[in-house]
């Protein structure tokens, strides 16, 4: 009951923080992948998503994600071209996901204040911008909510020896995989959480593990048959280690001014300092839980062995935030100076993360060089012949690009020159409407 009350109260905090962070973007139009992914699909396309790759246009990376297609269509049929409502929905979903994580952390033994602090770090993290500003990436909090539900159902199922709750956990996890199959990396994470919650229920956990692994393996094998072009497991250790390092720096290592540089340096050192503090307090109960969340963050980086991008740090950043939220109270217990340092670190992560997030979100501003370039690729570049874009949206993007002097593929070289000039000489923040600017914290992964 304590976990439920804390989760419910934290939702209001996370929703308010997410809404404040996303507020400027509520009036920004769709961008890049949004243009062709959020739309109605034909019955044939919906059926095909269960037999082949999820993107009927063949633009996105191949994958087996039928529930992402249904999620995108449902959003479009409910809200159409109203981007403000779309983004508020993502804030709600993100708040729900973060509050479910808080409930899970408390169930596993984390102090409520620390769990809520970790959730706030996640919402304010620079990596979270993708998931409430970029409509396409709204499938991540949808996926995350299903995983959190699976974890909570597993915890309660093991403790109460309840097969219905264990069945709910399995179904939620499989649904999560049907949103994004990279969730397969979370199989060991879910089992670790189950063991931490009920170490005495080993036989029941073993039976659940057999069912979970069997269902996950079956889905993976079906994916291989249905989507032969989908990437298989990789061995890019360098990308994996880079993902681990980046996920532990929740404000991001890049900076654009003195304040963001100071926060980036602080959080570059945070994993080492917090880890050292935990080693000194290794007998505290919360220390073991903090190491569990750190292990979960590292395991969740496994998809980077195949393909790494910052928007794929959703789960690693989530567990890293819980690592800090659980570790800092353990380190600072009964020590006033350390308590002040812990509060300062949490505040710098939340405030500094919000500061860098607002700057990073400018990549999706309609006059951003990044957004203009992305949209030009969809209308006049390599994806022009394949992208299925609703007529009203296409007309709006056509006007947006025409205001920047782009009316055909022939105008793309000149656009590249203008972007290069903005990159070297600015402006670096929005000016008059229609004035191209280069974002101060540019997105470099797409």
């Amino acid at each position: 009951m304590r976990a439920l009350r804390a989760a419910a109260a934290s939702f209001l905090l996370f929703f308010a923080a997410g809404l404040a962070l996303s507020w400027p973007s509520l009036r920004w139009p769709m961008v890049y992948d949004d243009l062709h992914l959020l739309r109605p699909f034909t019955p044939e396309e919906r059926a095909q998503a269960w037999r082949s790759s999820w993107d009927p246009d063949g633009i996105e990376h191949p994958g087996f994600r039928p529930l992402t297609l249904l999620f995108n269509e449902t959003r479009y049929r409910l809200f159409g071209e109203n981007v403000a409502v779309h983004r508020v929905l993502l804030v709600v979903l993100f708040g729900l996901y973060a509050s479910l994580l808080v409930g899970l952390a408390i169930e596993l033994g984390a102090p409520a204040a620390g769990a809520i602090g970790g959730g706030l770090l996640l919402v304010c993290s620079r990596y979270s911008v993708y998931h409430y500003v970029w409509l396409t990436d709204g499938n991540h909090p949808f996926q995350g909510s299903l995983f959190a539900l699976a974890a909570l159902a597993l915890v309660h199922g093991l403790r109460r020896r309840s097969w219905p709750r264990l069945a709910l956990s399995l179904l939620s996890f499989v649904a999560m995989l049907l949103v994004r199959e990279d969730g397969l990396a979370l199989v060991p994470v879910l089992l670790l959480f189950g063991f931490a919650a009920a170490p005495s229920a080993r036989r029941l956990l073993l039976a659940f593990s057999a069912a979970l692994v069997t269902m996950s393996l079956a889905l993976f094998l079906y994916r291989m048959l249905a989507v032969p072009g989908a990437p298989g497991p990789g061995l890019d250790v360098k990308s994996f280690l880079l993902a681990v390092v980046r996920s532990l720096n929740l404000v991001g290592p890049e900076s654009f001014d003195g304040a963001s540089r100071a926060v980036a340096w602080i959080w570059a050192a945070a994993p080492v300092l917090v880890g050292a503090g935990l080693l000194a307090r290794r007998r505290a109960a919360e220390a073991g839980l903090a190491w569990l969340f750190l292990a979960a963050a590292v395991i969740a980086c496994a998809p980077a062995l195949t393909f790494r991008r910052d928007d794929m740090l959703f789960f690693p950043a989530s567990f890293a935030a819980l690592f800090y939220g659980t570790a800092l109270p353990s380190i600072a217990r009964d020590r006033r100076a350390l308590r002040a340092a812990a509060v300062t670190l949490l505040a710098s992560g939340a405030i500094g993360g919000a500061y860098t997030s607002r700057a990073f979100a400018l990549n999706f501003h309609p006059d951003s060089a990044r957004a203009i370039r992305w949209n030009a690729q969809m209308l006049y570049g390599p994806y022009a012949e394949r992208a299925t874009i609703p007529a009203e949206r296409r007309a709006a993007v056509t006007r947006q690009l025409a205001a920047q002097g782009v009316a055909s593929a022939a105008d793309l070289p000149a656009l590249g020159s203008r972007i290069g000039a903005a990159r070297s000489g600015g402006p670096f923040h929005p000016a008059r409407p229609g004035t191209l600017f280069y974002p101060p914290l540019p997105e470099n992964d797409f």
Side-chain angles (χ1 to χ4, degrees), residues 25 40 57 71 110 136 182 388 390 428:
S25 71
D57 293 340
F71 177 58
T136 294
D182 55 3
T388 303
F428 299 104

Side-chain angles (χ1 to χ4, degrees), residues 38 52 84 139 150-151 156 195 218 236 238 289 298 386 403-404 442:
L38 269 73
S52 63
N139 64 344
H156 289 290
F195 181 75
D236 191 342
K238 182 179 178 181
L289 184 57
V298 174
R386 289 180 285 169
Q404 297 290 344

Side-chain angles (χ1 to χ4, degrees), residues 236-250:
D236 191 342
V237 177
K238 182 179 178 181
S239 289
F240 170 76
L241 294 176
L242 181 60
V244 171
V245 171
R246 292 184 71 84
S247 65
L248 292 174
N249 185 342
L250 294 173

Side-chain angles (χ1 to χ4, degrees), residues 176-218:
M176 184 268 296
L177 295 180
L178 295 175
V179 176
R180 289 183 59 92
E181 70 272 42
D182 55 3
L184 285 165
L186 301 182
V187 169
V189 173
L190 183 65
L191 297 179
L192 280 174
F193 289 167
F195 181 75
S200 62
R202 294 185 181 182
R203 290 187 178 180
L204 192 57
L205 179 60
L206 185 61
F208 177 86
S209 301
L212 178 68
V213 171
T214 300
M215 294 175 70
S216 299
L217 183 59

Side-chain angles (χ1 to χ4, degrees), residues 204-421:
L204 192 57
L205 179 60
L206 185 61
F208 177 86
S209 301
L212 178 68
V213 171
T214 300
M215 294 175 70
S216 299
L217 183 59
L219 191 145
F220 178 74
L221 293 176
Y222 180 77
R223 171 185 179 267
M224 290 178 61
L225 295 174
V227 194
L235 291 173
D236 191 342
V237 177
K238 182 179 178 181
S239 289
F240 170 76
L241 294 176
L242 181 60
V244 171
V245 171
R246 292 184 71 84
S247 65
L248 292 174
N249 185 342
L250 294 173
V251 303
E254 295 85 9
S255 59
F256 57 94
D257 62 9
S260 62
R261 193 171 301 114
V263 173
W265 287 346
I266 290 171
W267 277 84
V272 176
L273 296 176
V274 174
L278 274 181
L279 289 174
R281 299 280 290 180
R282 58 184 178 276
R283 294 183 180 179
E286 294 92 341
L289 184 57
W291 290 122
L292 174 66
F293 286 131
L294 178 60
V298 174
I299 294 170
C301 289
L305 289 167
T306 302
F307 190 71
R308 190 202 69 79
R309 282 196 322 236
D310 278 357
D311 68 323
M312 295 174 64
L313 295 179
F314 178 75
F315 284 114
S318 299
F319 301 135
L322 291 181
F323 162 68
Y324 289 117
T326 307
L328 290 175
S330 174
I331 294 170
R333 178 183 296 170
D334 303 326
R335 301 184 185 185
R336 182 174 299 178
L338 289 179
R339 192 179 303 123
V343 171
T344 300
L345 183 61
L346 280 171
S348 71
I351 298 172
Y355 181 64
T356 56
S357 292
R358 291 292 288 267
F360 187 71
L362 291 175
N363 283 279
F364 301 92
H365 188 283
D367 292 329
S368 159
R370 278 289 189 268
I372 294 298
R373 175 178 173 271
W374 285 333
N375 288 354
Q377 287 180 319
M378 282 292 174
L379 258 65
Y380 304 119
Y383 309 128
E385 294 183 0
R386 289 180 285 169
T388 303
I389 304 173
E392 179 183 350
R393 191 180 307 162
R394 179 179 288 274
V397 178
T398 299
R399 292 192 297 270
Q400 176 198 24
L401 294 176
Q404 297 290 344
V406 181
S408 69
D411 298 320
L412 295 181
L415 175 64
S417 298
R418 292 180 59 217
I419 291 176

Side-chain angles (χ1 to χ4, degrees), residues 53 112 381:
S53 188

